Amino acid sequence: MDVSTLSVVLAFSMLLMLGAGLWVSLALVGVGALGLYITGNEQVGLLFATSSWGGSTSWSLTALPMFIWMGELLFRTRLSKDLFEGLAPFLNHAPGKLFHVNILSCGIFAAVSGSSAATAATIGRMTLPELKKQGYSDKMAVGTLAGSGTLGLLIPPSIILIVYGVAAEVSIGRLFIAGALPGLMLVALFMSYTAIWSLMNKNELPQTASIKSSWGDKAQALKKLLPIVSLILFVLGSIYGGLTTPTEAAALGVFGAIVLAKMTGTLSVDNFFASLLGAVKSACMIGLILVGAHFLTLAMGFLGIPKALAEWIAALTLSPFELLFYLTLLFVVLGCFLDGISVVVLTVAVVLPMVQQAGIDLLWFGIFIVLVVEMSQITPPVGFNLFVIQSLTGKSILYVARASLPFFFLIVLGLVLITLFPEIVTYLPTTMIQR
């Protein structure tokens, strides 16, 4: 069987397994084993054992459960309430007022959670009822939350960047720092659009006069923001300054999260074990997917699929921009049906040879993938953030999708900007101190 026919058979088998509801990790292993058996390779067990060990013993992966646990701990504290109360006094006079609290709260929480769904769910529980009570537009409240909720994938420490770094063998510390400026850029784009929309739709905002906040109120608000901002600066600053590796920063971040939870009085025995159990479940799920992806990568290497695909792409003489355009379409389509981590591990082995052939920087490409996956998180029919927000609001999935559409296009604009100005991604990593 030639490589092209084999690729079609394996792709169809993958879709069949996923459509049947098989776990992503098992589908990856099943497709890899099927490909080896078809080509007469009977060493499947030995290859699986070897690849599983290699795929699960990377030191870089130790940061994964720690960052997940840090997010789980803070998910169960008063953090979202403190963020809302801490930001509100500073935003009462901005065009859009408390809509900006949605965006900034998501941006700040993303920097300690690393999860898109956790960011949208945690901030949404706090802000949506308050915005509704004060008379803000439901549609815009949902849209700002859906769009800015995706920041959990990009703003470091990001779980998906750890997965990409391990799969592509790119420094996780440099990936984290590379995601900082694009993340801030998206926050600025979201806030700018919200301000312009608010100036053009004043009837969709509360008609009451803005509440004036005294300097005393702002000082109290700063006290609520200080602990979480300090934790963010400590975790990211220690990586950027070369004081710690991402793994060490993750461990210190967990310690800081425990201290914060204790300070807010929400660290009960039940909460502690619930956060630990949540972290174990998430880390095990991601670990199994990585094991399956590592085996599939090895199997495809034996079958010669990545090499053949890279040669085919090279023969098409696509420019780097054309290649990125087609890859964007591929990732968005896949992201409509799979979660972001699955999209990355499914495609990295096949896509990286093409990307390297085109001379595209793998560090920059990691941020590019995450931005595209962010788009897919708010794309029907299976954009994961859409379901999270639907469960919070009770609105239909199409209503949530329509509300988030402007933010989808803002992420597209972000993609265009980092493509035209790659220094947005690459500048900070070139200035950081490596350890």
Side-chain angles (χ1 to χ4, degrees), residues 126-186:
M126 181 64 210
T127 60
L128 289 180
E130 186 66 25
L131 290 168
K132 186 177 180 65
K133 185 174 76 174
Q134 294 198 26
Y136 285 84
S137 162
D138 274 352
K139 191 171 183 180
M140 192 60 177
V142 167
T144 53
L145 180 64
S148 51
T150 63
L151 294 169
L153 294 174
L154 179 63
I155 293 180
S158 161
I159 304 305
I160 198 170
L161 283 178
I162 297 176
V163 172
Y164 173 82
V166 171
E169 298 181 359
V170 177
S171 165
I172 291 171
R174 295 185 76 226
L175 279 169
F176 277 179
I177 301 305
L181 283 182
L184 292 174
M185 175 190 71
L186 281 185

Side-chain angles (χ1 to χ4, degrees), residues 32-280:
L34 178 63
L36 291 172
Y37 276 124
I38 288 175
T39 54
N41 191 323
E42 297 180 357
Q43 301 297 317
V44 175
L46 178 61
L47 291 173
F48 179 69
T50 305
S51 68
S52 298
W53 178 257
S56 58
T57 55
S58 168
W59 175 246
S60 300
L61 276 176
T62 53
L64 185 68
M66 302 303 286
F67 277 126
I68 293 173
W69 191 16
M70 182 174 82
E72 288 282 343
L73 279 164
L74 293 172
F75 178 72
R76 290 167 171 79
T77 66
R78 286 173 41 206
L79 172 65
S80 59
K81 185 177 180 183
D82 284 348
L83 275 177
F84 187 89
E85 293 176 354
L87 290 169
F90 297 96
L91 297 167
N92 269 327
H93 298 285
K97 301 179 183 178
L98 296 187
F99 282 140
H100 296 295
V101 175
N102 250 357
I103 299 167
L104 287 178
S105 296
C106 285
I108 294 171
F109 192 82
V112 290
S113 96
S115 165
S116 172
T119 299
T122 306
I123 301 304
R125 283 194 193 103
M126 181 64 210
T127 60
L128 289 180
E130 186 66 25
L131 290 168
K132 186 177 180 65
K133 185 174 76 174
Q134 294 198 26
Y136 285 84
S137 162
D138 274 352
K139 191 171 183 180
M140 192 60 177
V142 167
T144 53
L145 180 64
S148 51
T150 63
L151 294 169
L153 294 174
L154 179 63
I155 293 180
S158 161
I159 304 305
I160 198 170
L161 283 178
I162 297 176
V163 172
Y164 173 82
V166 171
E169 298 181 359
V170 177
S171 165
I172 291 171
R174 295 185 76 226
L175 279 169
F176 277 179
I177 301 305
L181 283 182
L184 292 174
M185 175 190 71
L186 281 185
V187 169
L189 288 174
F190 291 166
M191 292 184 71
S192 299
Y193 169 76
T194 301
I196 294 168
W197 181 92
S198 300
L199 290 172
M200 296 175 65
N201 297 273
K202 292 183 179 179
N203 59 316
E204 299 282 355
L205 300 174
Q207 300 305 308
T208 55
S210 298
I211 301 172
K212 292 185 178 180
S213 301
S214 66
W215 286 107
D217 292 334
K218 291 181 179 179
Q220 289 297 319
L222 279 176
K223 283 173 65 178
K224 293 183 177 182
L225 290 176
L226 189 61
I228 187 61
V229 172
S230 299
L231 180 61
I232 294 166
L233 292 177
F234 176 71
V235 170
L236 298 183
S238 62
I239 297 173
Y240 182 75
L243 300 175
T244 64
T245 64
T247 301
E248 293 163 349
L252 292 172
V254 168
F255 176 75
I258 292 173
V259 171
L260 275 182
K262 188 69 177 174
M263 285 170 57
T264 58
T266 51
L267 184 63
S268 64
V269 173
D270 288 343
N271 275 348
F272 179 83
F273 282 107
S275 69
L276 191 58
L277 184 61
V280 168

